[in-house]
Amino acid sequence: MEISSVVVHKIEKEEGDTGADNVHLIISEAYLDSTNEQIFNIVTTLNASFSDRIVQRAILSDLDFGFKRTVADFNNIDLLSVSQTLCTRLHQQMLGSTLSSAKGGYLVFALYNHMNYDYLGVFFVRKATGSNLEFQDPDNSWDLELVRYLDIKHFAMGARINITTLLADEGSRYLQLVKGNTNISDYFTDWIGVTNPTSESIDAQQLFEIINNIDLNYDQDRDEVKRQVYNYAREQTNRLINIRNLSDYIFGDSEKILNHCEAQQIEISHEFKLKGNALNKFYKITARANGILLQASYDKFNEADIQVLDDETIIITSQELVRIINEQKNRSDDCDD
């Protein structure tokens, strides 16, 4: 990992408190030393802890006060200025909010490169229990002892913007979110400016492609693995699947699917609903009778593709199948001549 710049600001607020007298913003006026070993460790740990959590994929919205409008040029981010503006806005949101369950903490902003991708990371971190950390005057900067007091492995919320992906394709899901409590996490995503927070159809298709291509254990059959995905999803409440739990269920390794995604640069949310036709694609029906083999995923049994009309009639509608069958029939007829 290579770190370009790191800035930390603080919002002081105790749970249950609201109003201007109880919500205070402490703005840093200086970068931390990104070459310092402690700073390197804090960003590295935050990034690793991020990947270990339940990540959701999304894109930035065009809200006037969100990240997308605040960062004028993702090719050249003035992190100190941008982070100051964003934290001021978050502070104003908290002043006008009745969300008493929200707590204060430290906002760690970092620009860094990880696995050849440039990231803007924003992590909302709280102090470890019993720690003491004071602001350093007169230069309005945090002492490097900061790293000793932040609970960086259990940060409250976070976001990573894959700048490399964003610049290459604004339609990609370059934004990654890690959230906690529902009400507070909505508050956090409103501040960032998030649209399309879940795209279940995209995640479902990604999972289907992953299962089609991932290396299987030596004793596994791919069609049987797909059936396992189908059975697993059917057993989950509201068909909500967790990728790590699914990976453990199928492969006995909770990280296998996500490791495959990282190696192949595949974007997938860590939790999403797998239902309807997207789920049925994982269930293949195979029937052999009267010298005929019929094999298709469950979602193909519909009025447009394969219809089972009664006890004696099946209608398959497919121009491509007709073309292939006619080609093979014609080749056979030529051989007979």
Side-chain angles (χ1 to χ4, degrees):
M1 175 182 288
E2 296 181 3
I3 302 172
S4 301
S5 52
V6 183
V7 183
V8 176
H9 308 288
K10 182 183 180 184
I11 292 181
E12 291 183 336
K13 180 186 180 300
E14 295 300 325
E15 186 174 1
D17 291 341
T18 57
D21 293 337
N22 298 306
V23 184
H24 305 285
L25 173 64
I26 300 176
I27 286 286
S28 178
E29 300 291 345
Y31 288 101
L32 293 178
D33 181 5
S34 59
T35 64
N36 181 275
E37 183 179 356
Q38 289 183 318
I39 301 306
F40 179 85
N41 289 339
I42 193 173
V43 176
T44 301
T45 302
L46 283 169
N47 185 68
S49 298
F50 190 101
S51 299
D52 289 339
R53 305 279 284 278
I54 296 173
V55 176
Q56 291 184 330
R57 299 276 181 167
I59 62 176
L60 294 172
S61 70
D62 288 321
L63 291 176
D64 288 340
F65 300 109
F67 277 42
K68 189 172 183 178
R69 292 290 185 90
T70 303
V71 181
D73 182 4
F74 278 94
N75 265 313
N76 185 25
I77 299 175
D78 182 349
L79 189 62
L80 185 60
S81 175
V82 164
S83 63
Q84 289 171 340
T85 299
L86 289 169
C87 285
T88 300
R89 290 176 181 166
L90 179 60
H91 177 238
Q92 291 170 345
Q93 282 182 244
M94 297 181 78
L95 286 177
S97 172
T98 59
L99 189 62
S100 62
S101 56
K103 296 173 63 177
Y106 298 87
L107 284 150
V108 180
F109 291 78
L111 286 171
Y112 59 95
N113 184 283
H114 176 63
M115 296 187 70
N116 297 319
Y117 285 97
D118 292 324
Y119 285 96
L120 167 59
V122 182
F123 309 93
F124 195 64
V125 188
R126 298 194 174 100
K127 287 193 296 184
T129 303
S131 66
N132 184 32
L133 179 66
E134 300 299 333
F135 203 55
Q136 304 299 304
D137 290 325
D139 59 344
N140 288 352
S141 63
W142 295 109
D143 188 271
L144 291 180
E145 292 298 300
L146 169 76
V147 70
R148 298 176 59 184
Y149 300 111
L150 292 185
D151 190 8
I152 55 179
K153 290 186 178 180
H154 304 96
F155 64 89
M157 290 165 281
R160 290 192 310 192
I161 299 172
N162 188 322
I163 297 172
T164 305
T165 302
L166 183 158
L167 294 175
D169 180 9
E170 287 196 13
S172 65
R173 295 185 300 165
Y174 51 80
L175 173 63
Q176 303 170 41
L177 295 167
V178 166
K179 304 185 292 181
N181 175 277
T182 301
N183 291 332
I184 299 175
S185 64
D186 290 344
Y187 189 78
F188 185 71
T189 54
D190 288 344
W191 171 58
I192 294 171
V194 177
T195 189
N196 192 27
T198 56
S199 300
E200 291 170 358
S201 60
I202 297 175
D203 287 316
Q205 182 59 34
Q206 294 284 55
L207 180 60
F208 189 72
E209 295 301 323
I210 290 166
I211 298 301
N212 275 329
N213 293 284
I214 194 170
D215 291 336
L216 303 182
N217 296 338
Y218 74 94
D219 58 346
Q220 289 181 311
D221 172 78
R222 203 166 299 276
D223 285 340
E224 179 56 32
V225 168
K226 290 180 181 178
R227 192 181 295 268
Q228 286 181 286
V229 174
Y230 178 86
N231 291 337
Y232 173 86
R234 295 264 298 181
E235 293 170 359
Q236 307 310 306
T237 302
N238 296 323
R239 306 290 191 265
L240 180 66
I241 68 168
N242 177 287
I243 289 295
R244 284 191 173 88
N245 293 342
L246 173 65
S247 184
D248 185 57
Y249 177 83
I250 294 173
F251 300 110
D253 179 355
S254 61
E255 298 299 320
K256 184 178 176 83
I257 292 178
L258 291 178
N259 287 341
H260 173 83
C261 291
E262 185 172 28
Q264 300 300 318
Q265 302 175 6
I266 297 171
E267 298 176 354
I268 191 168
S269 298
H270 292 188
E271 275 192 352
F272 57 92
K273 291 182 180 180
L274 183 60
K275 58 185 180 180
N277 288 338
L279 172 60
N280 290 336
K281 290 174 67 174
F282 289 89
Y283 189 92
K284 182 176 288 186
I285 292 178
T286 302
R288 187 191 300 272
N290 303 323
I292 299 171
L293 172 64
L294 176 60
Q295 189 175 71
S297 59
Y298 188 87
D299 67 306
K300 291 297 182 181
F301 287 82
N302 55 61
E303 292 183 359
D305 298 304
I306 304 172
Q307 298 182 70
V308 180
L309 299 183
D310 50 44
D311 291 340
E312 297 181 350
T313 307
I314 298 174
I315 297 178
I316 301 175
T317 304
S318 171
Q319 292 183 342
E320 184 64 12
L321 274 178
V322 170
R323 182 188 66 78
I324 293 171
I325 290 171
N326 282 334
E327 283 182 357
Q328 295 188 28
K329 284 179 61 181
N330 290 337
R331 285 201 298 269
S332 178
D333 291 340
D334 291 342
C335 289
D336 290 342
D337 293 340

